[in-house]
Amino acid sequence: MSDAELTTPFRQRAGSAMKDEFLQEALTIATTKFIGLRREAFAGFPEGEALRDRARAIKEATLQHLDRHLETLIANVERLGGHVHFATTPAEARSIVVDIARRTGARMAVKAKSMATEEIHLNEALEAAGVTPVETDLGEYIIQLAHERPSHIIAPAIHKTKGQVAELFTRELKRPAEPDPEALTRIARAELREKFLQADLGITGANFAVADTGTVVLVTNEGNGRMVTSLPRVHVAVMGVEKVVPSFTDLMVFLAILAKSATGQKLSVYTSLVQGPRRAGELEGPEEFHLVLLDGGRIAQIGGPLREALSCLRCGACLNVCPVYRQIGGHAYGYTYPGPIGILLTAMLEGAPAVRDLAHASSLCGACVDACPVRIDIPRMLIELRREVDDEKLAPWTERVAFALLTKLLQNPRLYRFAAKAGRVLQRPFARDGRISRLPLPFGEWTRTRDLPPVASRTFQERWASDKDLRA
Amino acid sequence: MTTRAEFLERIREQVRMSPGRSPASSARRPQHPAAEAETIRRELVERWPETLEAFRREFEGVAGVFHRTASIDVVPAIVARIAHDRQAREVVTWHSAALGADLAPALGACGLDVHPMPAAEPSGGAERERLRTLAARADLGLTGVDLAIAETGTLVLVSGAGRPRSTSLLPPCHIAVFDRTALVESLRQAGVFLEAWHRDGRPPAGGSAINFITGPSRTADIELTLTRGVHGPKEVHAIFVEQPIRG
Amino acid sequence: MTARRASLMVTCLGDLFFPEVGVSIVRLLRKLGVAVDVPADQTCCGLPLFNSGYRGDAAAVARRTVALFKESEYVVVPSGSCAWMVKHEYPGLMADTAVGPEARELAARTHELSQFLVRVLGATEFTAAVPGRVTYHDSCHLLRGLHESESPRMLLGKLRGAELVPLPGADECCGFGGSFAVRLPEVSSQILAKKLANVESTGAGCLVACDAGCLMQMNGGLKRAKSRVRALHLAELLDGGR
C-alpha cells in the first residue's frame, strides 16, 4: 500500500472496498469456503481441542524462556555451519539480506512466501541493490506482477478473479493466458521453473525453528519452499524471534493443528525441515545458510500488553471468520497484516498511533478467538489498544468529551434521569410512529441506514417507581 | 548494527520483567527416544496391516496413487508401467544403497533410461550441474521412504548422500517405495523418530533436509480452485512392498 | 421449585428503550414464584466505557453497580453483554480494590435471563406471546463470553404456540458492537444486511435475541426495510398465556 493510500481515512478505505463488487464476491466465496474447511477438519479431529490447549501452553512456556531457547537455536544453527544475524529494525533486516546478496554476487533471488519479508519491505530494498526478487508462491507471484500487496495472510491473491489473473499474465508475461486456473498454474510453473534453476539466492521466512536441533521449518503446498531452499547457492531465512519452539516433540503439536486451521488440510503438502547448508555428498542444498532473527517490535511485547499476539501461527483463521474482514478484505486495513491479528501486529510493529482507527475496526464479537488454533484473546487486546489510544489522546476531542459526559451521567442517577427526560423532549421532532428515522450527527451515523427506537415515554425504573401493580 | 549480545540482552530483560501466564509447559519429550522408537516399531509389527490400510486411505485422500506388491523384484515392472502410461522414459533414482536394492538393471531392461544418483560428492560444479539437469529433465523420480505416517498419508524422506532432494521434487512424477518398517501411525510417533534420529544433535543420514510429503504439489490461490503440480510433482505414487526390502 | 428472590439489573438500554422487556421479566418470574426487586438508581454496567478503552471510568461505574446489588441473592440480567461484563470483567476491574471480593461475589450471583430460567430455576415451559415461526440469533457475548447457546433454544423449542426454525449464520455477529455501530456505520450496516437476509430466508415472523444491543441493531434494520419480521427479546416472547 502506498503512502498516498494510507492518508485516506480507514473508514473511507473500508467504504471503497465494500463498493467493489468483484472483491465482495471473492471475499464471500473464499471466507465461506475456508470456514467450512476448517470446521470439517476439526469436526473429524476430537483430539483437536486438547492439542490447541497444549499448543497455547507451549507458546507461553517458550516465551517465558525465550532468551534461552534462542541461544540454543543459535548454537545449533552455527554448529550445522549456518550463520545467524540479529535485526532490531526492518531497516537492519533489509541491510543484512542485501549485504549477503551483494557479498555472494547474487543477481536474482527466488522467494518463498514470507509475511516477515513483506513486513520489512524487503523486495524494494533488493531491487534498489540490483537484485531481482522473484516471488514463487503462486498467489505472491500474481500480486508481484500486479504491483500489489497481499490481501490475506495465506491466500495473498484471494481478491483477484481468474479473469483478472489471465489479463495480468497476458500483459506482464507477454503470452496469451486463458482464464482457467489449470492453464494459469501451468504457465506459472513453466516461468518459475527457470527462475528456480537459475537463481543465486533463495529467501524464505520460517514457520517454526526447532531450537534443539537448529532446524528451520517451512510449511508450503506448492513445492516452492523446497525449490528455494535446495537449488540456489545461498539460502536466507528471515524469522520473527517468537517462532522458535524447543523440540521436535513440540513441533508435532503445532503441525497437527496448523494446516487444519488454515485450509482444513490434515497437513500441508510439504513440511520441510531445513538443517543448515548442504553436507558432503549432497547434490542439493545451499553452500551458505543464513538465519536472520527479526525483532521489529516483537521483543518489547514479551513484557507488554500484546504478548499473547506473539503466539500467532499466521494461519489466517481469524481473518476468515471476522465480520469486518469479510466485508472489507485485506487491503483496506492498510498495513502488511490484515484482519483481527493484523490490527495487533500493526500496533506491535508500528505503534499505537497506527491503529488509532483500526483498533475500532471490530465489533468485539470474539469469532476470532474461537477460530484461533492457540486461542489468542484478540478482543481483550483490542480493548487494551483502545485504552492506549485514549491515554495518548489520539482520539478526536469530541469523542473524549462525549465519553467524559457519559461517565458523569452513569455515575449520577439524577443526571441519568434528567438525560432520559431531556432525550424525550429532544427526540420529539424526530419520532414518528414509534420510531426515529433521522437524526442529526453524530446519531445520524445510525439513522442513515437503521431506525432507532425512541426513548420510552416512561423508563422501566420510572414505571417501577410509580406503578403499584408492577411492584406487587 | 545490533550485536548478538545486545539483542539477547533485550530479550532477557523483557523475559525477566514479565510475569508470564499459565498454563505454560513445553511438550513432554521422550526420555529415551531411541528406546521408545524401538518400542513403537515392535508394537507396529503386530498391527502393520491396519496401519497400512489407514495409510492407504489417507494417502489416496490426498490424491496419492497407492500400489502394493509382494517383493521388491516386481517394483521395476510397476515403475515401467507408470512410465509407459505417461509415455515417459527418463527416470532418476536414489542410489541403490539408499533404496535398499539395485533396481537400475531391471528398470533398464524394461526400456527406461535410468540415472541412479551417486553416493559420492560430485567432482565439481559441472558434475553437479549435469546431475541437476538430469533430475530436471526426468519424467519420473524413484525414491525410498524413511517414514510413512498413516494419520496423514505422509511420506517422510531424509536427504543425504545418494538420496538427493531433487529426485522427489523436480520430476513431475514421484514414485516412493517402502515396506512395513517405514510405517508409523501418527505425527506424534513420527516426532519420536525425529527425536531419536537427532539424539546426538546431528541430523540423520548426514543430510541437511528432511521432507514431509503429503500428496502431490497443489495450490488454490486462484479463486480457491484446486490445481495440482504447481512447482513440485503433479503425481505421487507409493509402492508398498510386502516382503521387507532389506531382508 | 423453592421460592426465591431475584433482583433485576434492568440495563441502560433496557431501561431507556425497552421497558416492556423488564415488565415481562417481572411477570415471568412472579409466575414462577420468584419475588422480584429492582434496586433503585440503576444506570449502567459500564460496558460501553470498557469497550472503548476507558477502563478507569468503567471501573468507577462498575463499583457503583456492585454496591447497588450487594444485598441481592440472585441478579437477573436481560442482556448477555451486561451479564458478561459483570461475570467476566468486574472481578478483574476491581481486583486490587477494597470491593474486589464483593465484585467476585456479585459475578457468581449474576445470571443472564435464559440461563437463570433454565439452569437455576429449571423452568422451561412457557407459552408464546406471539404464535408462529420464530428464529433465534446468538448474541456474541452470550454465545462466546458466557458459552450459552442451549438455554434460549430449549426455551424456544418448548414454547407452546411457537415453531423454532434454525437461523443460518445464527452465530454470526449482527454488527452492533456498541460504538462500532456509529464509528463504522457502513461496515456495521453491511454486516446487518447479511444477518437480515438470513433472517428473511427462514420465513419466521419473529426474530428472538437475548441482548438489547442486538435487538436495537436488528430491529433498526427490519423497520427501515419495512419487514414483516419483528425482533423481540426472549422475555417478551415467553410472556404469553396470561
Side-chain angles (χ1 to χ4, degrees), chain B residues 118-169:
Chain B
E121 177 82 8
S123 52
E127 175 67 1
R128 198 180 289 279
E129 194 52 45
R130 185 186 74 80
L131 291 164
R132 176 172 299 187
T133 307
L134 276 175
R137 278 214 310 247
D139 304 303
L140 301 123
L142 179 62
T143 71
V145 173
D146 294 287
L147 289 178
I149 308 177
E151 179 187 354
T152 50
T154 301
L155 301 167
V156 181
L157 273 59
V158 175
S159 72
R163 29 167 71 230
R165 312 176 199 186
S166 53
T167 316
S168 63
L169 178 62

Side-chain angles (χ1 to χ4, degrees), chain A residues 185-364:
Chain A
T185 302
R186 270 199 304 276
I187 293 175
R189 179 188 170 98
E191 291 278 331
L192 292 169
R193 176 60 67 110
E194 277 317 297
K195 306 281 197 255
F196 288 127
L197 291 168
Q198 288 166 16
D200 312 296
L201 172 60
I203 301 174
T204 68
N207 294 86
F208 307 93
V210 182
D212 189 55
T213 52
T215 305
V216 163
V217 182
L218 290 164
V219 174
T220 66
N221 274 310
E222 300 180 11
N224 56 328
R226 293 190 60 190
M227 296 285 202
V228 166
T229 56
S230 303
L231 301 177
R233 286 180 289 116
V234 180
H235 170 208
V236 177
V238 180
M239 184 185 93
V241 291
E242 80 285 15
K243 296 298 192 75
V244 66
V245 297
S247 74
F248 280 126
T249 309
D250 297 294
L251 178 67
M252 293 301 126
V253 175
F254 292 102
L255 291 183
I257 58 175
L258 176 59
K260 290 184 181 75
S261 303
T263 59
Q265 293 168 273
K266 288 195 179 176
L267 269 191
S268 299
V269 178
Y270 303 109
T271 302
S272 306
L273 310 183
V274 170
Q275 305 180 301
R278 76 162 175 256
R279 296 280 190 308
E282 280 198 283
L283 291 189
E284 293 93 27
E287 289 163 23
E288 279 182 44
F289 170 67
H290 298 263
L291 176 63
V292 181
L293 292 176
L294 177 62
D295 170 8
R298 293 159 172 78
I299 294 177
Q301 290 304 332
I302 295 171
L306 300 178
R307 175 196 176 91
E308 222 190 321
L310 292 173
S311 298
C312 175
L313 303 181
R314 307 287 195 268
C315 72
C318 59
L319 274 62
N320 299 325
V321 296
C322 175
V324 176
Y325 178 88
R326 298 185 79 183
Q327 297 302 326
I328 69 175
H331 288 157
Y333 287 78
Y335 291 91
T336 301
Y337 298 98
I341 194 66
I343 303 174
L344 301 184
L345 295 174
T346 302
M348 193 183 291
L349 308 173
E350 316 267 350
V355 297
R356 187 198 63 182
D357 297 326
L358 284 178
H360 291 278
S362 164
S363 64
L364 303 177

